[in-house]
């Protein structure tokens, strides 16, 4: 049976001490797929079109790692993906957001209070319509006081927030369908990541974001 | 501090009653990105090249949903991705595997013993070299007996198995780098999903798999 939806603020009180992004493992890994034979300049131009001055950005042959504050990371992702999609080419981005597991595979900050900034500034619209399949993973090992975690409670709360924002289209198998301006889709994903991150330390989120698709939208 | 690595078989005894894939929520969602202006026929030909007779397959404008047994799902993914990459076009596939959460956002099977088949038949090699960024998410809400879960223990054990298989290249931020024949990379991802699935009910895994990349490999 589905769980009762509880507002996130009833689940825990966030810590007030803000750790820096690197020590808390805040960042993203993303890949950009412009479906054109000339994909190399589209990707390289998009990567240079966005302001990375506040971020650590490392690109390899599979994906690009981005570390910095939540707001800076999401703004950079919006600008890179928007630059590629502004070419008109059908472009898909795959975005992984992570927090609370800084040491690569080893989560050296596992114990302690979860932390996430209270507010994520809404990203300015891009004028580009995006469709996304989105998944959120609060990696909750259970609470020492209650003895059990409940990773689905955070997911239900976040989906309610996406409905309020207007980007929610429907629940799919293994993912939630979002539609809207690229900025609103990314804001929804970022908000969900932070909301879950206020009650669970290690939280990841994945989104496959499609723009300029020639296929009929299955969405809104 | 990193956890001590414990063999998965010491963590729990798997249930012997095999639920069917639909009732247990076993399946995949994937997207295929051939970086060519002629991407539509490459995708459509790849989807029809693979045998889907034992599977439910639903494609929309963002991704393709696949439901069936673990072995059938992974064989289908190998065949679809191999067919696209056999064109020689730089192709990236993003694969999401999920188990133990059948009711879309509602995990109706949350309580009860985890189940995963003991053996996953190794996939026959494709002759196609793949590089992947791989993440595994055991969504462990904690054990009623011990009072705490430990989602990282399953991850460490699975990474050790990837090292034995020879596909492990290194740990990256938020992901593990795998290199090898496409079949070996998918077998590694599938084995990890099943190994974690023997101790945790709701387990997902994501992999960004790149073939025919013109970029110098950052890998092995």
């Amino acid at each position: 049976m589905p769980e009762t939806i509880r507002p996130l603020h009833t689940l825990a009180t966030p810590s007030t001490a803000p750790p820096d992004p690197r020590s808390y493992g805040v960042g993203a890994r993303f890949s950009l797929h412009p479906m054109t034979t000339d994909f190399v300049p589209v990707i390289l131009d998009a990567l240079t079109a966005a302001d990375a001055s506040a971020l650590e950005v490392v690109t390899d042959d599979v994906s690009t790692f981005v570390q910095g504050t939540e707001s800076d990371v999401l703004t950079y992702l919006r600008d890179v993906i928007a630059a590629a999609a502004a070419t008109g080419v059908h472009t898909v981005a795959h975005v992984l957001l992570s927090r609370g597991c800084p040491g690569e595979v080893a989560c050296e900050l596992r114990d302690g209070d979860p932390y996430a900034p209270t507010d994520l500034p809404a990203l300015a619209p891009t004028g580009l319509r995006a469709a996304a399949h989105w998944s959120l993973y609060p990696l909750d090992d259970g609470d020492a006081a209650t003895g059990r975690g409940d990773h689905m409670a955070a997911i239900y709360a976040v989906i309610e927030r996406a409905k309020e924002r207007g980007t929610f289209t429907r629940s799919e198998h293994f993912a939630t369908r979002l539609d809207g301006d690229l900025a609103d889709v990314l804001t929804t994903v970022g908000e969900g990541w932070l909301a879950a991150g206020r009650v669970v330390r290690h939280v990841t989120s994945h989104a496959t974001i499609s723009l300029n698709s020639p296929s009929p939208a299955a969405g809104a």
Side-chain angles (χ1 to χ4, degrees), chain A:
Chain A
M1 296 290 292
E3 301 297 302
T4 304
I5 294 166
R6 288 179 287 171
L8 281 180
H9 62 77
T10 67
L11 296 177
T13 304
S15 164
T16 52
D20 72 277
R22 182 188 295 264
S23 68
Y24 201 73
V26 174
R29 190 170 274 287
F30 78 103
S31 52
L32 196 60
H33 311 299
M35 253 72 89
T36 172
T37 311
D38 292 327
F39 63 93
V40 172
V42 175
I43 294 172
L44 295 181
D45 289 353
L47 289 171
T48 54
D51 178 8
S53 58
L55 298 165
E56 180 187 353
V57 178
V58 181
T59 296
D60 67 24
D61 59 322
V62 179
S63 67
T64 294
F65 167 72
V66 186
Q67 186 138 68
T69 69
E70 292 86 349
S71 179
D72 288 341
V73 167
L74 286 160
T75 300
Y76 178 79
L77 290 172
R78 179 202 58 187
D79 291 346
V80 171
I81 299 169
T87 61
V89 169
H90 173 36
T91 298
V92 175
H94 190 83
V95 173
L96 155 61
L97 302 175
S98 186
R99 58 188 305 105
C101 191
E104 302 181 1
V105 293
C107 287
E108 297 182 11
L109 275 183
R110 279 190 59 218
D111 296 323
D113 291 335
Y115 169 78
T118 307
D119 294 315
L120 181 73
L123 298 169
T126 62
L128 298 163
R129 189 148 187 91
H133 280 155
W134 167 46
S135 301
L136 177 69
Y137 303 120
L139 291 149
D140 186 359
D141 284 326
D143 182 77
T146 66
R148 291 299 295 271
D150 183 358
H151 72 278
M152 292 305 296
I155 293 173
Y156 294 131
V158 158
I159 288 172
E160 287 305 298
R161 179 72 185 108
K163 290 178 181 173
E164 293 167 13
R165 181 165 283 286
T167 45
F168 176 92
T169 299
R170 64 175 166 275
S171 297
E172 304 263 20
H173 288 289
F174 318 142
T176 297
R177 165 89 184 209
L178 302 176
D179 286 273
D181 188 282
L182 170 64
D184 293 333
V185 167
L186 282 171
T187 298
T188 302
V189 173
E191 278 182 342
W193 177 51
L194 292 188
R198 282 180 205 112
V199 291
V200 175
R201 282 177 80 81
H202 186 191
V203 179
T204 70
S205 189
H206 284 255
T208 299
I209 305 173
S210 174
L211 300 101
N212 306 328
S213 173
S215 302

